[in-house]
Structure formats: C-alpha cells, structure tokens
Amino acid sequence: MADTATTASAAAASAANTSTDAPPFQLGKPRFQQTSFYGRFRHFLDIIDPRTLFVTERRLREAVQLLEDYKHGTLRPGVTNEQLWSAQKIKQAILHPDTNEKIFMPFRMSGYIPFGTPIVVGLLLPNQTLASTVFWQWLNQSHNACVNYANRNATKPSPASKFIQGYLGAVISAVSIAVGLNVLVQKANKFTPATRLLVQRFVPFPAVGRLSCRRAPGCFSLYKALCAWQPSAWPYRWPSASSRRCQRSRRPS
C-alpha cells in the first residue's frame, strides 16, 4: 500500500502542469470541484461532451495506457495534468467500468444528446397520426432502455426477463398515455383548432414524465446527478435503473 502511494505521488509530481487552468490530476476523481453547483455543472458538461464520440481507437489506447502508466508510477517526463485529465475523460466516456468494453456510441452519456434530440423532435411533431405517435413513443423508450442496459452493473448479472419486463412496461405505459391523451384532445369539442393543436404539442410530456417518475426510485435523477454527486460514484454514466453507479450515488442515475 505504501509503495503504491509512493509511486502515485511520484507520478503526480511528474505530471505537474505549468498551466493554471488544469488542477493537479487525481485518478478516478472529477476535474472540477464538487462543493459548488458551478463545479458540478461543469463536471456534468464534461461528461456529456459529444466530442468524445469522435475519438479514434488509437487515441483511446493511448489514453488507457497513459492512465496505466500514471497508476503504476511509470509516467514519462513531460506529461501534463491537462493530458491526464483528457485521457481519463476519454476512457470513462467510452469504456464500461465493469467489462472494460466499448459502449455502443448511441448509448453513451456523451451520445445521449446527439442521438436523443432527434427523438425529442419526433415526439413534438404536430398533427401526428396514431402510427407516428406509437412509433416515436416506442423509439424513445427503446433508446432509454438501451442506455440503461448498456450502463448496467455488469458485476451483478440480472436475468434478461427483468429487462424485458421493464422495457415492455415502459413502452405500453408511454404509448397508452400518449394515445389516450391524443384521443381525448381530439374529442374535446370546446377547444378551438389552435388550442387543440397547442394542447397536442404537450401530450408527450405526461407520457414521458410518468415513466420518469416510475424510474425515479430505482435511480438518481438528473438533478441529483448535478447536485448530489460524490466522487465515489465514478464512472459517471447517464442515470440508469439498478446500476451500481446509481446505487453508489444514492449511498455515496
């Protein structure tokens, strides 16, 4: 233990950065201070940075090797804190912490906004038919389910039936709420066409919000990810139900 601490200290010393922008590197810990909302906000922006989606395989290997060198105290001279923070950001954005395998791009935290935004746009399209309503609600819940599964706790395997049941329940609930509200709005004779169109624009929110409330007890919310995060919860993935990262953050998503 003492040797490990000594080598880590030596690596930290060799990684001294002349730039005042990069704080001293700490393996497995966030770059930004978590004692303020602004620090947590900057940390979260770092997590969802879509630029990590374009990292090459070679760059990923270099980042992993750099962190291994730091861990074992064999860091080459001249490596800066900025390079170490960047390497850690890349590794934690791409590789699953349990399996050490690459997470499929659309299901990474950094891919949630680029790949989720088209779905949100589809949910808010005006004058949707029954088929389009069902399609976009199904696609949204399918994407959420895949994100949860890709970021699951791989050290404690769960039966596939559990994920399938949750997925089917989410899809059926979302579709039922969205379709039911659309039918009610269309039958509301007191609404003018403009009012009806406006109300229909908000139909996706109850459908998606209801499912979010159901998932809340199983994982920490986006608010908690920003305001109640603690370093022991790393790797910081998008909040996913029944994940170890989620559980850690609830007893420090």
Side-chain angles (χ1 to χ4, degrees):
M1 291 294 292
D3 292 341
T4 303
T6 302
T7 56
S9 299
S14 66
N17 193 355
T18 57
S19 171
T20 58
D21 293 336
F25 179 73
Q26 299 182 69
L27 186 64
K29 293 188 178 181
R31 174 172 180 169
F32 305 103
Q33 291 292 331
Q34 301 300 294
T35 55
S36 67
F37 175 83
Y38 182 64
R40 292 188 290 268
F41 179 69
R42 291 190 65 186
H43 167 69
F44 191 78
L45 291 180
D46 217 26
I47 296 173
I48 62 174
D49 187 353
R51 291 177 297 179
T52 58
L53 297 173
F54 303 99
V55 172
T56 63
E57 189 69 30
R58 178 181 176 181
R59 180 70 183 93
L60 175 61
R61 289 197 300 268
E62 292 174 351
V64 173
Q65 185 59 50
L66 190 63
L67 294 175
E68 286 296 314
D69 292 343
Y70 175 88
K71 181 178 180 180
H72 295 98
T74 58
L75 202 61
R76 65 181 185 275
V79 176
T80 64
N81 286 314
E82 183 65 40
Q83 289 174 308
L84 289 168
W85 285 121
S86 177
Q88 179 165 268
K89 175 180 177 178
I90 290 172
K91 179 182 178 182
Q92 293 171 332
I94 298 175
L95 299 182
H96 191 286
D98 297 330
T99 64
N100 211 34
E101 296 178 352
K102 292 178 68 174
I103 299 176
F104 189 44
M105 192 178 294
F107 308 143
R108 300 174 192 168
M109 278 198 69
S110 55
Y112 200 86
I113 293 178
F115 291 95
T117 299
I119 299 176
V120 174
V121 173
L123 288 170
L124 297 176
L125 289 175
N127 301 320
Q128 292 202 42
T129 62
L130 175 62
S132 65
T133 300
V134 172
F135 170 77
W136 287 113
Q137 290 292 340
W138 165 80
L139 186 61
N140 179 54
Q141 295 303 325
S142 297
H143 181 240
N144 291 337
C146 289
V147 170
N148 286 339
Y149 182 79
N151 294 278
R152 71 195 183 282
N153 177 12
T155 62
K156 297 180 180 179
S158 299
S161 59
K162 182 177 180 180
F163 289 102
I164 294 175
Q165 290 174 1
Y167 168 67
L168 291 177
V171 171
I172 293 173
S173 298
V175 170
S176 300
I177 293 172
V179 172
L181 289 177
N182 268 323
V183 171
L184 290 176
V185 171
Q186 291 173 359
K187 291 184 176 181
N189 298 326
K190 294 183 179 180
F191 288 164
T192 65
T195 302
R196 183 179 290 108
L197 179 61
L198 179 63
V199 173
Q200 285 180 322
R201 291 288 185 91
F202 289 92
V203 164
F205 291 97
V208 175
R210 179 68 180 91
L211 271 297
S212 297
C213 291
R214 291 183 60 185
R215 286 192 294 265
C219 68
F220 68 90
S221 65
L222 177 59
Y223 175 81
K224 287 185 179 179
L226 286 172
C227 301
W229 176 91
Q230 291 197 15
S232 61
W234 188 266
Y236 320 109
R237 303 293 182 191
W238 191 261
S240 56
S242 303
S243 71
R244 179 181 58 177
R245 292 170 296 282
C246 196
Q247 294 167 1
R248 283 179 178 176
S249 294
R250 296 185 67 195
R251 318 178 197 132
S253 12

